Amino acid sequence: MNKRRLKEKLIEWLFFVNGMIAVLVLVGIFILLVRNAFPGFKEVSFWEFLTTSRWNPDAYDKETYGFLAMLASTGMTTIGSLLIAVPLGVGTAAYLSDVASHRVREIAKPLIEILAGIPSVVIGFLGIVLVGPVLAKLTGTYNGLNAINGSILLAVMALPTIVSLSEDALNSVPRSYEEASLALGANKWQTVIKVKIPAAASGIIAACMLGMGRAIGETMTVLMATGNAPDFPQNLLSSVKTMTATIAIELGETAYFSTHFYMLFTVGLVLFIITFFINLISDIIFHKHMKMLK
Amino acid sequence: MKMMSKIALAVTGLVFCASAVSAEMIQIKGSDTIVNLVQKLAEVYMQQNPEAKISVTGGGSGTGIAGMINKKCDIGNASRAISAKEIELASAAGLNPSRVVIAIDGLSVIVNDGNAVTKLTVEQIGAIFRGKITNWSEVGGSNMPITLYGRQSNSGTYGFFREMVLKGEYSPKMRSMNGNAQIVESVKADPTGIGYVGVGYVRDAAGLTVLEVAFKDGMPYASPLDEKAVESGDYPIARPLYQYVGGTVSGAVKEFMQFETSPEGQKIVQTEGFFPITDEYRNLNARVGL
């Protein structure tokens, strides 16, 4: 009996340590980012970083560290990807949860989830050899490495998250809602659109925000597919260089502990804060959703 | 889960780095322009000396020189000379870098073969890449916008081209490609495109025009494919291709470099599309013991 208690305590302790390690790693990453981000502002003004758009750390004359262009680039590819992935993802989720037969659902859902496992470099490769040339032809330009290419690829990558979690949210809507709607004479389409999706709205929003977090943090795919011009993007056909791509491209060439090195950490810190809040908000919305349905 | 795998990856990376430095393995890193050439040289060298172990990766000249300074590699490949800032950082790290020239490159400016333009002056090319000239009609072509294809800032070609041709900042509209090969492919597909790559990448490329370049208006135009013009300096944007080491050239690294600069190594340089080193650079190499 005593031995069994000891074993239980030991396992409990082990799980506690495991949980704490995850938290410590998170806090550690944050501290590392902050410590390496701050020294950069000895030489670069904080105001310049926030309000100018020319990022030119390896300049011929004078280095500049403006952050706006890459923020706009990240924003553009992310919003573009959501414009594609949200309608498609929620539609797919509604189909899977309310229209598809049991057999179709059992096959389709795992297949969509497998999509999440495709390495990002493979998707980036498709962006270069497939999406790029097709886009160039459709838009009458000569090169398809631009913001919209990145958006399409990011949409593909965010889809599994959005479909899978939205479908869970739709399934968690109590059956009584649907029955009440059908009993009042609404047809299936009206029930899905006017009852189930609104009832699952917070869960669906949480799903979309997680998809957005994925899109913002994605690096390899956008690096390969967007052309990486550091200019402030003019339209969806502009070539853009996102925050993640800037870090990935430039960190390898900087000497450690130079201003450029510190400024790249600052970009990383901003990225960390953005994704942290997106995940936090989606988590809060999701818990509200679960509570409401109870 | 994802985080765990990243940590595991980082740890294996560290272990790998540590073992790479301690073993007799020569780590070479840097310039994308000569990565294929040095890989080929290493391959032939390892066939002749089975005990030698050499690993060659790209990443760009900036990455190669930073790797040499940060002691991540034994040799840093570079298609540009080390900068004053980098020398400073190297001496701060207790290093006194030596450089060896292993080949000569005629940096080639390429356009789509559908483009009527076949020659430009250095000034015109500079103005195009600075974003001052934005339409092909301004340099004798048809009326269409110019699309710029360049390299990322870790590229030595990016740095060299800026020093020698632009003498100013790149247009922020320039697309930054991952490597020479991607520029070649993009310009092939884009009738409005212009790009710059090492001559080793345009030897047998179809669908491209390799521009003839003159110093300025009124001076003779020369092609980077013409060995004599490159060697004599008549081709305006020829450049030496370097390898940097952190200290003196010695041991296994020296043996490999001796092979690279030997007649046999220089023959490989030519079959890979570049040009053999001239006496001027042989004398420079002799100063570091080669």
Side-chain angles (χ1 to χ4, degrees):
Chain A
M1 201 58 203
N2 218 351
K3 209 176 163 189
R4 195 170 147 191
R5 284 255 321 256
L6 187 76
K7 200 173 155 193
E8 215 156 87
K9 270 263 171 261
L10 212 73
I11 290 176
E12 205 176 277
W13 182 80
L14 195 76
F15 279 125
F16 172 76
V17 170
N18 274 337
M20 285 316 283
I21 285 177
V23 174
L24 280 179
V25 167
L26 183 74
V27 173
I29 289 175
F30 184 72
I31 292 174
L32 186 88
L33 282 174
V34 171
R35 281 191 46 168
N36 281 307
F38 266 87
F41 291 109
K42 274 184 212 152
E43 286 181 39
V44 180
S45 93
F46 193 63
W47 191 243
E48 179 201 321
F49 177 72
L50 280 184
T51 57
T52 61
S53 66
R54 183 91 160 103
W55 177 270
N56 191 7
D58 184 50
Y60 185 75
D61 290 323
K62 189 186 175 321
E63 291 90 20
T64 53
Y65 293 94
F67 167 70
L68 283 185
M70 65 173 100
L71 184 69
S73 300
T74 294
M76 208 152 142
T77 48
T78 306
I79 291 169
S81 75
L82 287 179
L83 286 180
I84 300 167
V86 168
L88 207 61
V90 175
T92 309
Y95 168 75
L96 286 177
S97 81
D98 288 280
V99 184
S101 68
H102 183 73
R103 249 186 75 189
V104 171
R105 177 162 56 233
E106 288 308 300
I107 296 169
K109 202 175 175 193
L111 277 181
I112 290 170
E113 277 158 8
I114 287 174
L115 199 59
I118 298 178
S120 54
V121 67
V122 173
I123 298 199
F125 181 69
L126 287 179
I128 293 177
V129 301
L130 181 74
V131 181
V134 170
L135 270 179
K137 208 165 252 171
L138 284 180
T139 57
T141 50
Y142 297 111
N143 191 290
L145 297 179
N146 51 30
I148 200 164
N149 190 340
S151 292
I152 291 170
L153 300 179
L154 288 178
V156 171
M157 301 186 79
L159 260 182
T161 313
I162 296 179
V163 171
S164 185
L165 293 176
S166 299
E167 206 242 3
D168 291 346
L170 284 168
N171 275 337
S172 71
V173 173
R175 185 128 184 89
S176 55
Y177 283 40
E178 197 179 335
E179 281 161 359
S181 165
L182 291 172
L184 285 170
N187 61 25
K188 197 147 193 185
W189 165 253
Q190 289 165 330
T191 305
V192 171
I193 295 296
K194 298 224 161 123
V195 176
K196 285 197 83 176
I197 289 182
S202 44
I204 291 173
I205 292 171
C208 295
M209 294 204 65
L210 277 181
M212 183 176 166
R214 173 98 211 253
I216 287 180
E218 178 49 45
T219 307
M220 201 60 212
T221 305
V222 286
L223 192 160
M224 291 169 78
T226 58
N228 300 316
D231 201 14
F232 197 90
Q234 312 288 320
N235 54 48
L236 276 174
L237 293 177
S238 306
S239 167
V240 297
K241 189 176 182 187
T242 62
M243 293 160 73
T244 48
T246 304
I247 299 176
I249 290 169
E250 292 174 10
L251 196 59
E253 63 166 304
T254 58
Y256 288 6
F257 315 119
S258 58
T259 304
H260 186 187
F261 177 86
Y262 293 132
M263 291 314 289
L264 287 173
F265 268 87
T266 308
V267 176
L269 180 65
V270 175
L271 203 57
F272 180 89
I273 292 170
I274 294 174
T275 45
F276 179 82
F277 276 103
I278 286 173
N279 285 333
L280 186 72
I281 293 168
S282 79
D283 207 49
I284 291 170
I285 296 175
F286 191 71
H287 278 106
K288 250 192 190 152
H289 168 72
M290 293 315 266
K291 227 190 217 160
M292 193 189 79
L293 290 178
K294 270 174 201 154
Chain B
M1 191 55 204
K2 209 168 172 196
M3 195 174 275
M4 286 303 278
S5 65
K6 269 187 191 155
I7 293 168
L9 204 71
V11 170
T12 36
L14 281 177
V15 171
F16 186 73
C17 278
S19 64
V21 172
S22 65
E24 275 296 301
M25 174 112 139
I26 305 178
Q27 290 271 1
I28 306 180
K29 209 172 175 178
S31 171
D32 175 74
T33 306
I34 47 172
V35 65
N36 289 342
L37 166 62
V38 178
Q39 249 161 15
K40 185 79 197 167
L41 285 163
E43 225 169 78
V44 176
Y45 182 72
M46 283 189 286
Q47 264 168 16
Q48 296 173 359
N49 305 275
E51 76 285 356
K53 283 203 182 67
I54 305 175
S55 110
V56 186
T57 52
S61 303
T63 312
I65 292 177
M68 184 267 292
I69 295 171
N70 299 333
K71 300 193 177 75
K72 291 256 179 66
C73 58
D74 305 296
I75 300 178
N77 286 340
S79 60
R80 61 168 170 83
I82 191 168
S83 71
K85 211 162 140 193
E86 284 162 339
I87 291 177
E88 225 170 78
L89 288 163
S91 54
L95 297 175
N96 184 19
S98 322
R99 88 171 167 199
V100 172
V101 178
I102 61 161
I104 309 288
D105 177 25
L107 184 56
S108 307
V109 181
I110 53 173
V111 297
N112 188 281
D113 66 351
N115 197 323
V117 175
T118 58
K119 47 186 168 181
L120 290 172
T121 66
V122 170
E123 270 165 45
Q124 284 172 320
I125 297 169
I128 287 173
F129 275 93
R130 284 196 306 272
K132 294 283 169 290
I133 295 178
T134 57
N135 195 301
W136 281 112
S137 62
E138 293 173 63
V139 289
S142 47
N143 180 23
M144 55 186 183
I146 300 177
T147 313
L148 305 175
Y149 294 95
R151 296 283 306 280
Q152 291 159 0
S153 57
N154 57 356
S155 149
T157 311
Y158 172 101
F160 175 85
F161 198 70
R162 187 174 58 187
E163 295 301 315
M164 302 308 289
V165 179
L166 270 73
K167 303 187 170 68
E169 306 289 357
Y170 279 106
S171 159
K173 292 213 175 354
M174 181 178 79
R175 286 165 202 247
S176 338
M177 299 290 143
N178 272 322
N180 290 279
Q182 210 185 358
I183 293 184
V184 169
E185 290 309 315
S186 301
V187 174
K188 261 189 208 172
D190 186 347
T192 66
I194 183 169
Y196 53 82
V197 293
V199 66
Y201 284 81
V202 296
R203 284 279 147 166
D204 317 300
L208 295 174
T209 303
V210 179
L211 293 184
E212 294 188 359
V213 182
F215 274 104
K216 50 177 109 161
D217 216 14
M219 289 179 75
Y221 287 86
S223 163
L225 299 170
D226 175 358
E227 180 172 345
K228 279 203 191 98
V230 171
E231 269 172 20
S232 66
D234 284 344
Y235 183 69
I237 39 181
R239 58 177 175 169
L241 298 168
Y242 303 103
Q243 289 190 323
Y244 282 92
V245 293
T248 52
V249 181
S250 61
V253 168
K254 180 172 181 175
E255 279 166 34
F256 177 58
M257 286 180 160
Q258 274 166 340
F259 169 76
E260 290 179 302
T261 50
S262 70
E264 195 187 351
Q266 289 299 302
K267 198 167 263 165
I268 296 172
V269 165
Q270 276 172 295
T271 53
E272 288 297 303
F274 293 97
F275 302 107
I277 45 182
T278 53
D279 289 339
E280 180 194 350
Y281 293 114
R282 285 201 178 278
N283 292 338
L284 279 179
N285 286 350
R287 280 201 217 155
V288 294
L290 277 178

